[in-house]
Structures are given as C-alpha cells and as structure tokens.
Amino acid sequence: MKALTWAAEHFIGVFNASAESFVGLVTGVLPLLMVMLTFMYAVTTWIGEERVTRAVQWAGKYAITRYTLMPILAVLLLTNPMAYTFGRFLPERYKPAFYDSAVSFVHPVTALFPHANAGEIFVWTGVSAGVLKVAPEKYATLAILYFITGIIVICIRGFATQWMTNLLIKRGGHEASFKQYDADYAAGNIQGGVA
C-alpha cells in the first residue's frame, strides 16, 4: 500500500510541477514574446516594406553581408521559419549558403531576441541556466557572447557552404545551368527561384 501511495503522490506531482511551469511561462515568457513580435512587426511597418526589401537586396550583394547581416535581418524581422524566404532575393548559387547561415542563427539569436525562435527558447535557457545559478551578474555578458559567437559561426558556415556549392556545381557539370540562372536573375526574369 505504501508503494501505491508513493506512486500516486509522485504521479500527480509530475502534473503539479508541469502546471507550475506552464503558469510561469504564461506570466513570464509569453507576454515578452508577444510584445517583442509586435514591436518587430511595427518597426518593419514604420520603416516600410520597400526599404526593408532594398536593405536585404543590398546585403545579398556582398558575401560578408550575405552571410552575416542578411540572416540577422531575416531572423529578427521574419522569425523562424519565415526567415528562410529572404533567400528569394539571391541568385540560385547562393541560396544553400544563405539557408545554412540563417538556420544556424536561429538559436544564438534567442539570447537577446527570444521572439525570433520562441519555439526553441529552451536551447538558450539550457545554455544560460548554469550561469544564472552560479553568477547571475554574468547573464548579460553570456547573452552577448552567445549572440556574437552565432554571427561568427554563420559567417564561417556561409562561406564554407558557398565553397561546397560552387565545387558541386563544377563537379556535376551544372555551370551552364547556373550561368543561365544568374543571367535570368540579373535581368529580373526570375522571382523567388522560378523563371
């Protein structure tokens, strides 16, 4: 009987702990995420969609900004998973590297902008839990370093994936196809990867 009583108490204890955690999310993280999402959409509206589009197109012209600034803007403004649609502003040969950069940034961004990938905020909370327990005054420093490290990583991954994509294009004998894609992109005949 003691074993059954212990099991029943602990069984309901799991649900009690889950309910407490849920209440903490509803009163803590959820309002923060909603306010940040609303703010980012308001900023995009105030700046204007055309200006944002021009900024993204400019960022796509240069490799260093294509794999740093462009994914940052994409993830902050559109959040995960819509951020990947910024790839439509790029020629076909750069889309894999942009995607790799953007998808690699959706976790480091949560340190400072949790709205950008709210579904996986647990990654940042897992990283920061130990620091909060041992040295809570270093929490902001960790968040900034996590964010900066993310930018460095996405830049490296972008360049590496661009190099691999170019290698595979040459190795597969697809250079003529990609030259045509580039010509169509430059002429404005291509929209979102579809001619």
Side-chain angles (χ1 to χ4, degrees):
M1 193 62 178
K2 287 182 181 179
L4 290 175
T5 304
W6 179 90
E9 287 173 354
H10 285 82
F11 178 77
I12 197 67
V14 168
F15 293 100
N16 285 334
S18 299
E20 287 175 24
S21 178
F22 178 73
V23 168
L25 289 172
V26 169
T27 59
V29 173
L30 192 60
L32 170 70
L33 295 176
M34 291 173 64
V35 169
M36 288 188 86
L37 274 172
T38 304
F39 174 74
M40 291 311 290
Y41 291 135
V43 165
T44 304
T45 303
W46 292 329
I47 293 172
E49 188 176 335
E50 299 81 24
R51 287 188 183 130
V52 171
T53 299
R54 282 196 305 271
V56 171
Q57 287 171 330
W58 175 85
K61 288 181 183 180
Y62 310 101
I64 191 74
T65 55
R66 184 169 45 245
Y67 306 127
T68 54
L69 183 60
M70 193 172 173
I72 292 169
L73 288 174
V75 171
L76 287 179
L77 296 174
L78 297 182
T79 70
N80 186 28
M82 282 299 294
Y84 314 124
T85 62
F86 268 23
R88 71 188 179 115
F89 298 113
L90 296 172
E92 294 299 311
R93 69 180 62 243
Y94 300 134
K95 288 181 182 182
F98 167 75
Y99 174 79
D100 193 8
S101 292
V103 79
S104 300
F105 194 62
V106 295
H107 289 300
V109 76
T110 57
L112 297 176
F113 303 98
H115 76 284
N117 195 16
E120 296 193 32
I121 192 78
F122 65 88
V123 174
W124 166 244
T125 56
V127 168
S128 63
V131 171
L132 273 176
K133 191 172 190 174
V134 176
E137 70 280 357
K138 298 289 185 184
Y139 181 83
T141 304
L142 178 65
I144 292 167
L145 290 174
Y146 191 56
F147 190 83
I148 291 169
T149 302
I151 294 170
I152 294 166
V153 168
I154 65 173
C155 186
I156 293 168
R157 289 183 65 125
F159 279 108
T161 304
Q162 181 177 321
W163 175 79
M164 285 186 272
T165 302
N166 289 336
L167 183 70
L168 292 172
I169 289 169
K170 287 178 186 173
R171 215 181 254 176
H174 303 293
E175 289 174 306
S177 298
F178 277 87
K179 282 183 183 175
Q180 184 60 49
Y181 291 150
D182 291 345
D184 288 344
Y185 179 82
N189 296 335
I190 196 163
Q191 184 66 297
V194 179

